[in-house]
Amino acid sequence: MSVDKDEIGKTVLELEKSFNERWSAGDNRGYLDNYAEEISYFDPVLKELLVGRDAVVAHIESLYSNPHIVRSEYLNPDVIVGDSGDFALLAYNLDTYVLDDNGDERQLRAWNATEAYRLIDGEWRIVHSHWAFAQTATEATAS
């Protein structure tokens, strides 16, 4: 069986963008409905890893409000696809923009995102999600 890694990569990236665009417009269900039952999740506002769909959904729903994002930039996307074609790791930088009080765009956040997708019953599901604020450290250090 031949695996078309480029096609899988495109599929996963487009799926991610569709979830994120829904999120930006005030509908978080794209992500939440896609999470696998066994998802693990790192959130920049939490110290610990969340495990399990119910815990992740409850956490996100407890702090989510419509961000009114008017534009997103998907920078440096990279998708690594497993040889079997049923696992894909997506990493990218995301810059989000909102309108200020004068109607001008301003950057809301800069993110580093990593999403692990697995093909489950014919559908790509997120099995691990890691969101981090970009450039939070004030000096370069490895520890």
Side-chain angles (χ1 to χ4, degrees):
M1 176 176 124
S2 177
V3 174
D4 188 340
K5 291 184 178 184
D6 288 337
E7 188 62 32
I8 292 170
K10 288 176 189 174
T11 297
V12 166
L13 182 57
E14 289 306 311
L15 191 58
E16 180 76 11
K17 285 181 177 180
S18 74
F19 297 152
N20 208 332
E21 295 305 313
R22 286 176 64 181
W23 177 280
S24 296
D27 175 10
N28 65 8
R29 296 312 307 184
Y31 276 113
L32 303 186
D33 291 345
N34 181 270
Y35 291 150
E37 289 299 321
E38 68 275 14
I39 187 171
S40 55
Y41 183 91
F42 276 118
D43 189 300
V45 302
L46 294 176
K47 187 174 181 177
E48 70 276 357
L49 174 70
L50 292 175
V51 177
R53 187 178 183 286
D54 290 344
V56 173
V57 169
H59 167 69
I60 291 172
E61 286 184 334
S62 75
L63 54 85
Y64 178 80
S65 63
N66 184 349
H68 302 286
I69 294 170
V70 296
R71 183 169 62 89
S72 296
E73 292 180 349
Y74 300 86
L75 307 169
N76 310 309
D78 186 46
V79 183
I80 299 167
V81 178
D83 290 338
S84 63
D86 63 352
F87 184 82
L89 183 69
L90 167 64
Y92 64 102
N93 307 106
L94 177 69
D95 290 348
T96 58
Y97 297 86
V98 295
L99 297 180
D100 66 16
D101 292 338
N102 297 320
D104 298 319
E105 276 190 10
R106 70 168 176 84
Q107 187 171 15
L108 176 65
R109 298 262 189 298
W111 296 97
N112 295 326
T114 306
E115 303 277 40
Y117 281 83
R118 189 172 60 169
L119 194 58
I120 300 172
D121 296 328
E123 293 186 48
W124 287 102
R125 299 283 185 180
I126 298 171
V127 294
H128 178 75
S129 184
H130 188 151
W131 288 86
F133 298 125
Q135 205 166 357
T136 57
T138 57
E139 62 183 67
T141 181
S143 58

